Amino acid sequence: MLFHIKQTHAPADCPYGKGGSRSLFDYESKDVKIHGYWLAFPQHTIYLVVETDDIVHLQKFLLPGTGVTTAEITPVSDKPVPMPD
């Protein structure tokens, strides 16, 4: 399943110069595939599209940012809604 993640942090918690934005999630995860990764630097926001079939993998993926980020997670799909029968 695909998920769109919007991860934000306060300016005081910015990882710039302290590990960078990738330090706020597990960039090396073998259980979560990253399809897209974008930054909105002035807004202190990271946008990700990831794929995993287990919510526990997604939670572990976001664990490094726990305590300094807020994550909004939305399931997404590239498939249209099927027509009713």
Side-chain angles (χ1 to χ4, degrees):
M1 178 173 277
L2 294 173
F3 296 92
H4 176 268
I5 301 169
K6 176 184 175 186
Q7 189 183 51
T8 59
H9 56 271
D13 296 321
C14 188
Y16 181 71
K18 300 176 273 182
S21 58
R22 291 181 182 178
S23 69
L24 299 176
F25 56 90
D26 183 3
Y27 191 78
E28 301 295 325
S29 174
K30 303 294 185 218
D31 298 313
V32 176
K33 180 179 180 184
I34 299 172
H35 287 276
Y37 164 67
W38 303 272
L39 303 173
F41 187 76
Q43 289 77 24
H44 298 275
T45 302
I46 300 165
Y47 297 95
L48 298 140
V49 174
V50 302
E51 183 175 1
T52 186
D53 290 330
D54 190 330
I55 191 69
V56 173
H57 294 156
L58 187 59
Q59 291 166 338
K60 287 181 181 178
F61 174 77
L62 293 171
L63 194 59
T66 302
V68 295
T69 67
T70 300
E72 295 177 29
I73 304 166
T74 306
V76 294
S77 175
D78 61 351
K79 296 173 180 56
V81 175
M83 296 299 292
D85 293 332

